[in-house]
Amino acid sequence: MGQFDKDETQAAPASSPLITSQPAPPASGPGPSGGPAPVAYIHPQAQQAAPQQIPQAAYGAQQEQTYPMPDGNLQPLRIPTAPAGVASAADPLRIGLWGAPRSGKTTFLAALPVAAMQYQRHTANNWVIGGMTPEATDFLNDSVERLTVRRQFPDGTLGAEGLSWSFQGEEGAARRFGKAREVSFLLDVQDVMGEAYNRSNPMHASVIDQLARAQGLIYLFDPLLDGEAGTESLNYFYATVNALNARVRDAGGHHRNRLPHHVSVCVAKFDHPSIFEPAIRAGWVTQDSVGSQIPRVPAEQSAGFFAWLCDEFRGSTARVVRDGLNTYFHPERVTYYATSAIGFRLNPQHVFDYRSYLNVETVDGRAQICTSPEPINVLEPLIDLERRIRADGRKGRLR
């Protein structure tokens, strides 16, 4: 909304809309078109100011109009603003979630509120996630109940579901003795069934549109399913990234001749013995020395861990996925994470025990979570994306 002179801002009766557009009276004569230009009148009802009487004569009448003015000793009344600490919906962060069928996209999203509540146990910062729509709030409530109380995995997505969440948290100080910075943002994310990333699926074109509009992408790479027919990552990677590149190119959205997105590559199911044990033997895993003593792949080694998975552990088509990420996206805009939506099983003292760490068991033919989930690198890829996108926006490089 533009700025207004004091004599263009008038209060309206309580029954009027908050903002209306009416032609303003001429100040000294007709405008360039021979008539008065339209002016937006702001009615600050939320401040409960005493309503002023607006003349009944038509605004466009030829006779000079006069308007009652507020007492000159009063401060000008500004439009109402959102309460402090509430994220603004003006520019939500748009994130695309991308992965093959059964790679764990819905479980990843379901683990976000759990990871946010546990975040303060592992760091000095805190994050709160809230739904911006009834559907998004229901998703958060159902996810926490299903994962922590019923200890069941969420059902797979059958179509496409849009979710909008608010994030309020803290960002660590950049300098040693600096203060943590308060951060708030809105997240719009699409949870789409994995089959939609196959070019033969009727939803593929709409999925490409969503990814093209996104500022950041979370790509879930499942090393276990990559070796199974029908869920190979390459089948759902190349057709999607190729179509995405064409869509962004045609719209003039390339950044230095590549896709402009920031990408978080999440190696899913890090807790599974078929991934965890080889990673230990190859020397990629370290273990926390305090708290629950959770095993992790250090952040500075995550890119090497992903390269090892593609070259040594999985090979073949996984190498093409790795090369495709480095070809279509700027390597400095891609980060890697060893991720688990449910984490490892912990002993009664809430500490990791290598003798019994698998957190999934089969009960009545259905996979069941053994102990309360301890997500690993679920929230971090999102808040890191937000930080990188925001930093690029300050530099004026974001499309």
Side-chain angles (χ1 to χ4, degrees):
M1 180 177 294
Q3 298 295 323
F4 301 98
D5 295 330
K6 182 166 65 178
D7 61 347
E8 294 174 341
T9 304
Q10 304 295 339
S15 61
S16 301
L18 185 60
I19 300 178
T20 60
S21 182
Q22 300 286 356
S28 58
S33 60
V39 175
Y41 285 81
I42 305 171
H43 305 151
Q45 299 170 359
Q47 303 294 330
Q48 297 182 350
Q52 300 173 5
Q53 297 299 320
I54 295 180
Q56 297 298 317
Y59 285 114
Q62 295 299 316
Q63 69 269 23
E64 189 72 20
Q65 300 290 339
T66 58
Y67 298 90
M69 295 296 297
D71 189 333
N73 295 322
L74 297 178
Q75 290 291 332
L77 184 62
R78 299 183 61 84
I79 63 174
T81 57
V86 175
S88 170
D91 189 21
L93 186 68
R94 299 182 302 278
I95 299 296
L97 189 62
W98 178 16
R102 296 163 47 206
S103 59
K105 296 182 295 298
T106 303
T107 305
F108 180 93
L109 292 176
L112 270 173
V114 179
M117 288 187 288
Q118 295 175 353
Y119 197 74
Q120 44 78 32
R121 282 205 273 116
H122 307 296
T123 72
N125 299 326
N126 186 67
W127 284 93
V128 176
I129 303 177
M132 296 299 295
T133 64
E135 294 79 11
T137 299
D138 288 343
F139 183 92
L140 294 174
N141 293 336
D142 294 343
S143 297
V144 171
E145 178 187 0
R146 182 181 284 264
L147 290 178
T148 64
V149 179
R150 296 157 57 187
R151 295 182 183 173
Q152 295 177 353
F153 290 94
D155 297 327
T157 304
L158 298 179
E161 182 176 7
L163 299 169
S164 181
W165 293 325
S166 66
F167 283 68
Q168 279 90 37
E170 298 169 344
E171 193 175 69
R175 295 187 298 270
R176 182 178 179 183
F177 297 106
K179 293 183 179 180
R181 178 181 177 180
E182 294 185 0
V183 179
S184 64
F185 62 93
L186 295 184
L187 171 70
D188 285 344
V189 64
Q190 289 284 335
D191 183 20
V192 182
M193 64 180 183
E195 289 80 3
Y197 293 100
N198 190 305
R199 62 179 178 174
S200 62
N201 190 280
M203 294 179 58
H204 191 249
S206 64
V207 166
I208 299 301
D209 287 339
Q210 294 164 5
L211 297 183
R213 290 192 298 267
Q215 299 152 293
L217 303 174
I218 293 179
Y219 177 64
L220 287 180
F221 176 79
D222 188 336
L224 300 179
L225 295 179
D226 186 62
E228 297 184 13
T231 56
E232 298 96 340
S233 296
L234 186 60
N235 289 343
Y236 301 88
F237 174 82
Y238 183 72
T240 297
V241 76
N242 190 34
L244 175 61
N245 179 67
R247 187 70 53 84
V248 174
R249 178 203 63 208
D250 294 345
H254 270 168
H255 176 66
R256 301 200 318 265
N257 292 325
R258 302 192 195 190
L259 289 169
H261 303 74
H262 288 269
V263 185
S264 289
V265 178
C266 297
V267 177
K269 303 173 185 175
F270 172 62
D271 58 296
H272 196 286
S274 296
I275 301 174
F276 184 57
E277 295 291 344
I280 291 176
R281 293 193 294 269
W284 294 108
V285 182
T286 63
Q287 187 173 3
D288 295 347
S289 58
V290 296
S292 298
Q293 302 178 31
I294 302 295
R296 311 176 186 276
V297 175
E300 63 274 13
Q301 297 185 24
S302 295
F305 171 65
F306 179 73
W308 168 79
L309 277 174
C310 295
D311 286 334
E312 305 293 336
F313 178 73
R314 180 53 58 199
S316 186
T317 59
R319 283 195 290 268
V320 181
V321 172
R322 178 203 60 194
D323 294 340
L325 287 167
N326 291 329
T327 298
Y328 284 92
F329 302 95
H330 291 283
E332 68 271 17
R333 293 190 172 194
V334 182
T335 55
Y336 301 86
Y337 303 85
T339 298
S340 172
I342 62 171
F344 297 100
R345 181 175 187 168
L346 303 180
N347 69 11
Q349 288 73 43
H350 208 68
V351 176
F352 174 86
D353 188 340
Y354 184 58
R355 292 166 295 191
S356 177
Y357 66 81
L358 183 60
N359 204 16
V360 180
E361 60 185 354
T362 302
V363 178
D364 297 330
R366 184 185 179 101
Q368 190 86 12
I369 303 171
C370 300
T371 62
S372 186
E374 293 279 338
I376 300 171
N377 282 336
V378 168
L379 183 62
E380 290 81 355
L382 264 177
I383 58 178
D384 183 51
L385 271 180
E386 188 276 336
R387 184 185 304 114
R388 288 185 282 147
I389 292 170
R390 176 161 41 86
D392 253 7
R394 288 198 298 264
K395 296 174 184 176
R397 295 187 298 168
L398 195 62
R399 76 177 191 278

